[in-house]
Amino acid sequence: MADAAGRIATLAEEVLGTPLPIRVRAWDQSETGPPGAPTLVIRRRRALRRLLWRPGELGLARGWVAGDLDVEGDLYEALDRLSGLLWERGPAGPPRSRLRTGLQALRDPALRTAARRLIALAGPGLPPTPPREEVRTSFGPVHSLRRDRKAISHHYDVGNDFYELVLGPSMVYSCAYWDGPDSTLEEAQRAKLDLVCRKLALKPGQRLLDVGCGWGSMVLHAAREYGVSAVGVTLSEEQAAYARKRVADHGLTDQVEIRVQDYREVPDGPYDAISSIGMAEHVGAVRYAEYTAILHGLLRPGGRLLNHQIARRPQPDEEEYHVDEFIDRYVFPDGELAPVGRTVTQLEAAGFEVRDVEAIREHYALTLRRWVANLERSWARGMRLTSPGRARVWRLYMAASALSFERNRIGVNQILAVRTPEGGASGLPLRARDWR
């Protein structure tokens, strides 16, 4: 089939109502599009069948993960150009998929000729099997203990060596805190951990609970630098094993405990301080009031909570919110984002006094770009450590997320809250952000 790229570009323009802003190279080596632009490489015709059977983002994602689609050139530029083309973003409300709308319109009798041309290009056959990296099965009610463990395992139990490659020596899988773009990733992650410790006003002899402790970096920093006794809880067996080894290697086994435990199962409060860094996105709307109430109950009066959490923009009708299909199927199953205002309200409803909210979304964009660079620098090894499909998932989601933070589509906030005693003494300094 000669000039498949030209045919695809023509059909895309009919479906989307505007020319493609990037080049296209098809399986027959034909190529078309604006000179100098990044190139969308369609390696196999089945990529089009994926789109026909599942119009929209999930069809594209399956093609990317399976290696049917690729990008040559600057991935960020390609995603940025395609985002404006594929998604219709109004002043309020969720973005609408132009691709899904356009492909569904091909079912209209007036556009059946175009539909037949697309089917001819895609080739005959049933829908291709989704890549094995896709989550296909639900395990019980959403955000039940069993299902949450399965979801966490899907994301975090993909090999500690792979995460070492992506995250670097700090092994911190959340937004770093940058003095500037010339700082190293390790410096910025240490600065973030220290900022959390200072906001919590940690002191020797205090008890710290780190909810969703990852590979143990927060509890290690707090124990070494601030002299606390720390408990870290995670649902990932691989994370826990790694964190326990780090604790032993630093000679801190009498000071730091790592548990495979859900936050709903922690029995031994009260704690002087609680950190929850990049964990609350897994909690879900149906469990968030329970989450805030449990953390409130685990703190002593006067204790502090630092909740570090990604936020989305509010919608005119919150009932219309739905989880991004690619993220839900390939990255964070059952993960949910909430507007920062809702999070503050729910913390207050649980009895907390919210004392500070710091928005740091630009910091996450810088962090993600460093993680992508780490992965791209060791791409072949990254594929060997996990799987080619999984490596492609991580590269795409991290690059797309960096752009989302840069374009103010999502944000991230550190919320400092206190279990203020009835007498009203919060224990915080008079001057805001004098974290002592």
Side-chain angles (χ1 to χ4, degrees):
M1 181 177 293
D3 193 27
R7 297 183 184 202
I8 291 167
T10 299
L11 278 168
E13 184 171 348
E14 291 180 18
V15 170
L16 299 169
T18 186
L20 286 176
I22 63 174
R23 293 186 66 77
V24 175
R25 184 186 310 135
W27 56 90
D28 64 353
Q29 300 306 307
S30 60
E31 192 166 338
T32 189
T39 301
L40 176 66
V41 181
I42 305 172
R43 299 194 186 282
R44 303 174 188 92
R45 293 203 301 177
R46 71 181 182 189
L48 302 183
R49 292 206 302 280
R50 293 185 190 279
L51 278 174
L52 279 169
W53 285 94
R54 194 59 186 255
E57 183 173 347
L58 186 57
L60 285 171
R62 287 171 171 171
W64 172 270
V65 177
D68 300 338
L69 298 174
D70 205 349
V71 167
E72 288 185 3
D74 190 313
L75 178 60
Y76 295 101
E77 183 183 353
L79 291 174
D80 213 17
R81 291 187 180 210
L82 286 171
S83 177
L85 176 71
L86 297 176
W87 294 98
E88 205 168 14
R89 302 181 189 275
R96 291 194 313 150
S97 170
R98 284 197 178 109
L99 180 60
R100 181 180 298 158
T101 302
L103 284 171
Q104 288 171 346
L106 290 179
R107 297 167 187 167
D108 186 280
L111 292 173
R112 282 180 181 168
T113 300
R116 283 196 293 270
R117 287 158 49 208
L118 182 59
I119 292 169
L121 269 173
L126 295 172
T129 303
R132 64 184 178 89
E133 290 81 6
E134 182 172 316
V135 174
R136 299 180 181 82
T137 306
S138 299
F139 297 91
V142 175
H143 297 299
S144 63
L145 289 170
R146 181 168 180 258
R147 181 157 165 170
D148 278 355
R149 283 190 172 91
K150 291 287 185 181
I152 292 300
S153 178
H154 172 84
H155 186 82
Y156 294 102
D157 293 340
V158 299
N160 291 328
D161 290 344
F162 178 74
Y163 274 108
E164 282 184 336
L165 183 151
V166 174
L167 304 179
S170 67
M171 287 300 284
V172 180
Y173 193 27
S174 56
C175 172
Y177 197 67
W178 300 82
D179 283 330
D182 293 333
S183 300
T184 67
L185 177 60
E186 286 66 43
E187 289 169 342
Q189 289 291 15
R190 179 182 173 83
K192 188 271 297 300
L193 296 176
D194 206 66
L195 177 67
V196 172
C197 291
R198 287 185 286 116
K199 286 183 175 182
L200 291 172
L202 296 182
K203 297 178 178 61
Q206 289 185 330
R207 297 184 75 213
L208 167 70
L209 173 65
D210 186 33
V211 181
C213 68
W215 293 270
S217 298
M218 174 63 195
V219 289
L220 284 169
H221 184 85
R224 284 198 314 259
E225 304 299 328
Y226 289 83
V228 302
S229 296
V231 173
V233 297
T234 175
L235 294 180
S236 166
E237 296 280 357
E238 290 191 16
Q239 283 185 334
Y242 189 98
R244 286 169 183 150
K245 184 178 186 305
R246 294 177 80 189
V247 169
D249 289 347
H250 284 88
L252 292 170
T253 53
D254 60 341
Q255 202 173 333
V256 176
E257 180 186 2
I258 303 296
R259 304 174 185 167
V260 178
Q261 190 173 54
D262 191 277
Y263 69 92
R264 290 163 280 191
E265 301 172 312
V266 176
D268 55 345
Y271 288 86
D272 298 289
I274 297 176
S275 53
S276 178
I277 307 172
M279 176 272 175
E281 298 88 341
H282 295 290
V283 171
V286 298
R287 293 287 186 182
Y288 209 88
E290 180 184 20
Y291 164 78
T292 56
I294 287 172
L295 297 193
H296 186 269
L298 285 169
L299 273 175
R300 65 164 176 81
R304 300 185 188 184
L305 165 70
L306 192 287
N307 191 78
H308 175 123
Q309 181 176 346
I310 298 171
R312 61 174 172 83
R313 301 288 160 246
Q315 299 178 7
D317 183 358
E318 283 293 318
E319 296 298 320
E320 291 186 1
Y321 170 68
H322 63 274
V323 179
D324 176 283
E325 282 189 303
F326 168 61
I327 296 296
D328 190 48
R329 296 291 189 97
Y330 286 98
V331 187
F332 295 107
D334 296 334
E336 297 178 45
L337 302 183
V340 64
R342 181 191 291 177
T343 299
V344 169
T345 296
Q346 290 184 296
L347 286 165
E348 290 180 329
F352 283 105
E353 180 187 7
V354 173
R355 295 300 302 247
D356 185 79
V357 180
E358 185 176 3
I360 53 174
R361 68 174 175 83
E362 293 90 348
H363 293 257
Y364 219 153
L366 288 168
T367 305
L368 284 155
R369 282 182 176 263
R370 294 298 179 91
W371 290 344
V372 172
N374 285 346
L375 178 56
E376 290 180 338
R377 193 178 302 117
S378 303
W379 181 246
R381 182 166 179 263
M383 289 192 293
R384 289 196 304 271
L385 289 174
T386 178
S387 72
R390 182 83 64 183
R392 293 172 68 80
V393 167
W394 257 241
R395 182 176 178 231
L396 178 62
Y397 109 77
M398 292 191 300
S401 296
L403 288 171
S404 292
F405 283 108
E406 289 168 359
R407 301 294 181 262
N408 193 27
R409 295 172 192 147
I410 54 176
V412 62
N413 306 279
Q414 287 194 349
I415 302 174
L416 180 67
V418 183
R419 182 175 173 173
T420 303
E422 289 184 8
S426 70
L428 270 79
L430 289 174
R431 289 178 178 255
R433 295 190 175 151
D434 184 11
W435 306 120
R436 290 197 294 257

